[in-house]
Amino acid sequence: MKSYYMPTKVVECENVVIKNKDLFGQYGKKALIVTGKNSSKVNGALKDVTDVLGELSVSYEIFDKVVENPPVDNVVEGGLAGLDCDFIVGIGGGSPIDAAKAIGVLIKNGTENAYEKLYESKGLKSIPIIAIPTTAGTGTETTPYAILTDHKNETKRNYSPRVFPEYALMDVRYFLYMPLHVRNNTCIDALTHLIESYMTVNATPYCEYIALEGIRMWGTVKEALKDETMSKEAMTVFMNASSLAGMAISQTGTSLPHGMGYPLTYYNKIAHGLANGVVMKAYLEMCKDEEKVSKIVDNLGFDSLEQFGGFLQSIIGTLDITEDEIDKYSESLMANAGKLKNHPDPVTLDDIKTIYRKAVKGVTI
Ligand code: NAP
Ligand code: FE
């Protein structure tokens, strides 16, 4: 049986918020805007939203304290700021939009016992979410996931409820002023979603089609990652590839590279996309389905996996972690049943250590 379910309405054009103003009026009288500290003020997204809400006489509260890789405490703070709100507009990268989804669950179900609600209660619903992404990385605008920092387990983990945004509003204008490291790390995250989705055991033909097309699109603009300033045209392709990647992982989840990236982000503060991207080549070398790996390499426009690896290294470099860290992080991955079961073949502790080692030293073992 094949199925596909991704209910978010995706609208993409320049000035998307202004042009689709009326949709902000359908969810109630008061909005909670959830965003990061700074970027949505600089790229114009926050002003567009507040202008539109003002015109519609929808009142709003702004919670602009979402930190990168938000922990539960941060989300509770957002929930308390918006208890009387009817819907949420999440603006920013994956951190604010994931926080928006979790805050929506807490506003609907109460902020007490937040950890249990977010990590242990599968069926909880949220108030409606409108997602306005500003990084071409996580694809969270088209996924039901929210990845929060779980300090109890010293890792990052998807929450238990599944909340798809009602709308994903995409405007490339918001993406054009990312600092180079944010832009490249997030674009690499999108590529890892496409690749991991395609390689998972869960990939249906629909997902494979979406993922391969996303990989092809990403490959057409890859050289633009080397430029300090990216053209609007190239950024639009990355933005669309990122949303496609969200659509793909919304069905399949991610797998080993994301599971291996979480400890790198938790303990070594390595940005999310970079943490997954840095292990990608060694992961593909371990994958047994050579035909699928060749299709990825071809669709990206490379001659070989070696060439792809060299390209990734030129953009994001190699890892700098110790053998002790490799041991600890490999054990952490082996305890992550969710990621292991998404990989089509049995995986050993040594397999994972080998991937980390190759990523650290950049050598073939
Ligand atoms: P992020 O953590 O949301 O933001 C990283 C940095 O980029 C912040 O300093 C942010 O500034 C800045 N930024 C965001 N948009 C910008 C723009 N347009 N111009 C300039 N700066 C901008 O980064 P992210 O990589 O998008 O999100 C990572 C999070 O998403 C992780 O927690 C990851 O685990 C999660 N994730 C979720 C999913 C999912 O399906 N839900 C999938 C993959 C990853 P401000 O703080 O000022 O905004
Ligand atoms: Fe990711």
Side-chain angles (χ1 to χ4, degrees):
M1 188 177 74
K2 306 180 194 81
S3 68
Y4 184 85
Y5 179 71
M6 202 299 287
T8 304
K9 296 171 267 296
V10 182
V11 188
E12 192 245 298
C13 64
E14 285 188 41
N15 297 306
V16 71
V17 170
I18 313 286
K19 285 184 183 157
N20 293 277
K21 159 177 118 177
D22 290 342
L23 69 85
F24 288 84
Q26 64 184 304
Y27 296 113
K29 294 193 172 68
K30 187 165 183 191
L32 176 67
I33 300 174
V34 175
T35 190
K37 273 202 190 89
N38 194 39
S39 67
S40 65
K41 294 171 186 123
V42 176
N43 64 36
L46 181 60
K47 182 173 185 310
D48 285 353
V49 170
T50 53
D51 282 355
V52 157
L53 293 175
E55 281 175 40
L56 294 169
S57 300
V58 173
S59 62
Y60 58 84
E61 204 72 55
I62 300 178
F63 179 68
D64 59 359
K65 295 184 184 140
V66 179
V67 297
E68 289 181 39
N69 307 298
V72 173
D73 286 0
N74 193 210
V75 166
V76 171
E77 201 186 341
L80 291 170
L83 284 178
D84 60 344
C85 292
D86 303 306
F87 67 105
I88 295 182
V89 184
I91 311 173
S95 296
I97 296 179
D98 283 6
K101 293 174 182 174
I103 289 169
V105 168
L106 295 184
I107 291 178
K108 180 97 179 165
N109 300 283
T111 52
E112 65 286 352
N113 302 322
Y115 185 92
E116 287 71 23
K117 280 181 180 147
L118 292 173
Y119 278 128
E120 288 158 22
S121 306
K122 281 212 163 79
L124 294 183
K125 304 269 184 262
S126 163
I127 60 172
I129 312 282
I130 297 172
I132 305 180
T134 66
T135 64
T138 70
T140 179
E141 67 277 6
T142 52
T143 78
Y145 314 127
I147 316 296
L148 305 175
T149 294
D150 174 1
H151 284 307
K152 271 195 202 170
N153 289 295
E154 298 192 358
T155 188
K156 296 182 63 194
R157 220 152 53 91
N158 185 26
Y159 75 163
S160 299
R162 291 174 66 89
V163 177
F164 279 103
E166 291 288 316
Y167 275 93
L169 301 181
M170 321 286 301
D171 186 339
V172 72
R173 294 179 312 131
Y174 304 147
F175 294 64
L176 294 176
Y177 305 102
M178 273 184 268
L180 189 137
H181 68 282
V182 172
R183 182 195 77 192
N184 285 4
N185 293 342
T186 53
C187 287
I188 298 284
D189 187 27
L191 179 63
T192 63
H193 296 158
L194 291 161
I195 293 175
E196 287 175 52
S197 177
Y198 183 61
M199 296 305 296
T200 61
V201 75
N202 309 321
T204 65
Y206 302 133
C207 299
E208 291 185 354
Y209 176 78
I210 292 170
L212 270 186
E213 176 57 12
I215 290 169
R216 189 199 62 76
M217 284 164 61
W218 200 100
T220 62
V221 286
K222 60 185 182 294
E223 293 301 326
L225 293 175
K226 295 181 176 160
D227 300 336
E228 190 76 35
T229 310
M230 190 181 281
S231 70
K232 196 194 278 182
E233 290 69 30
M235 196 67 245
T236 303
V237 177
F238 279 120
M239 178 180 79
N240 287 320
S242 174
S243 290
L244 282 185
M247 293 176 202
I249 59 168
S250 71
Q251 315 298 300
T252 62
T254 56
S255 79
L256 303 183
H258 267 67
M260 296 180 70
Y262 291 153
L264 295 173
T265 300
Y266 189 88
Y267 294 108
N268 301 68
K269 310 294 171 224
I270 296 175
H272 172 70
L274 199 158
N276 317 320
V278 81
V279 296
M280 183 49 68
K281 174 182 174 249
Y283 157 75
L284 286 173
E285 280 171 348
M286 195 204 76
C287 289
K288 293 202 169 76
D289 193 334
E290 289 174 13
E291 197 185 322
K292 275 191 147 184
V293 174
S294 297
K295 275 196 185 159
I296 290 170
V297 171
D298 282 355
N299 273 266
L300 280 171
F302 292 111
D303 295 332
S304 63
L305 181 52
E306 210 53 46
Q307 197 187 25
F308 174 34
F311 174 84
L312 277 179
Q313 214 176 80
S314 73
I315 304 289
I316 58 179
T318 52
L319 262 180
D320 185 14
I321 56 172
T322 63
E323 270 297 317
D324 285 350
E325 286 170 318
I326 289 176
D327 288 349
K328 180 173 168 184
Y329 302 170
S330 301
E331 275 154 27
S332 151
L333 191 272
M334 293 310 286
N336 190 338
K339 297 296 178 214
L340 291 175
K341 79 173 165 38
N342 286 350
H343 188 70
D345 302 300
V347 177
T348 66
L349 183 63
D350 275 349
D351 291 333
I352 300 303
K353 287 185 185 179
T354 302
I355 297 177
Y356 275 125
R357 284 199 192 107
K358 285 183 178 181
V360 171
K361 300 187 177 107
V363 295
T364 307
I365 293 176

